[in-house]
Amino acid sequence: MGIFSKDIRTMDDLFVHTLRDVYYAENRIVKALPEMIEKAGDPQLKRAFKAHLGETETHIARLQQVFRMHGLEVRGVDCPAIDGIIEETDDVVGEVDDPTVLDAALIAAAQAVEHYEITRYGTLIAWARQLGRTDCASVLQTTLDEEKATDLALTAMAEGSVNQKARAAR
């Protein structure tokens, strides 16, 4: 089912498709984070990635809750966007030699993921409200708030020390 597929006929169909999209994305992120944790050199970044892995597992559980609340089978649909972000991350990370530059690259990659998630959750919340599903919107809002907080924490880390260390690399 593509975004312009005739299988999406209603706002509810669009909501469900996007819910399945972000469910797939969160599951891909859970699989990608352990490698990011392993590659991170900065102890604060490593801790942040470990914490976000746990958060992401909670996000998956919340999505499963929304599926059940909406009376749906829990399943994902392929998400080329997250696949592309993760593939790009692998490409860039594979090209970096210096560990401090690698940390800056990892933060940038993590923020690309966060920004994707923020757009998806924001959209899902707006559509859930439009569909009269404030119960679903409330559950999704909790995750959106966490995604925004993660993005802010990554920005603070990057601007606070990681980017400076990367700049000094030769």
Side-chain angles (χ1 to χ4, degrees), residues 51-72:
H52 196 61
L53 177 58
E55 267 188 7
T56 303
E57 290 166 345
T58 301
H59 298 167
I60 290 169
R62 281 194 203 117
L63 288 168
Q64 291 167 342
Q65 179 184 356
V66 172
F67 277 113
R68 287 189 302 274
M69 292 164 69
H70 209 67
L72 298 169

Side-chain angles (χ1 to χ4, degrees), residues 54-150:
E55 267 188 7
T56 303
E57 290 166 345
T58 301
H59 298 167
I60 290 169
R62 281 194 203 117
L63 288 168
Q64 291 167 342
Q65 179 184 356
V66 172
F67 277 113
R68 287 189 302 274
M69 292 164 69
H70 209 67
L72 298 169
E73 171 192 354
V74 175
R75 69 178 175 89
V77 295
D78 286 347
C79 175
I82 203 67
D83 288 337
I85 292 169
I86 291 171
E87 182 180 326
E88 180 181 20
T89 299
D90 290 343
D91 289 348
V92 171
V93 165
E95 297 292 321
V96 177
D97 285 331
D98 185 275
T100 59
V101 175
L102 179 59
D103 285 341
L106 287 169
I107 288 176
Q111 286 192 290
V113 169
E114 291 308 309
H115 294 173
Y116 178 76
E117 292 175 301
I118 288 166
T119 64
R120 284 305 194 206
Y121 283 107
T123 297
L124 283 168
I125 291 162
W127 289 345
R129 289 180 181 144
Q130 188 67 41
L131 292 166
R133 297 305 308 256
T134 55
D135 55 341
C136 294
S138 177
V139 172
L140 295 166
Q141 184 67 54
T142 302
T143 299
L144 177 60
D145 293 344
E146 291 171 357
E147 300 291 13
K148 288 179 176 180
T150 296

Side-chain angles (χ1 to χ4, degrees), residues 10-43:
T10 67
M11 177 66 79
D12 189 69
D13 293 342
L14 192 56
F15 175 81
V16 170
H17 177 81
T18 306
L19 188 65
R20 288 181 171 148
D21 173 281
V22 79
Y23 183 73
Y24 173 93
E26 292 285 20
N27 278 283
R28 284 282 283 132
I29 294 161
V30 162
K31 291 176 185 167
L33 273 169
E35 186 175 350
M36 293 175 78
I37 293 165
E38 182 182 318
K39 290 184 181 291
D42 183 272

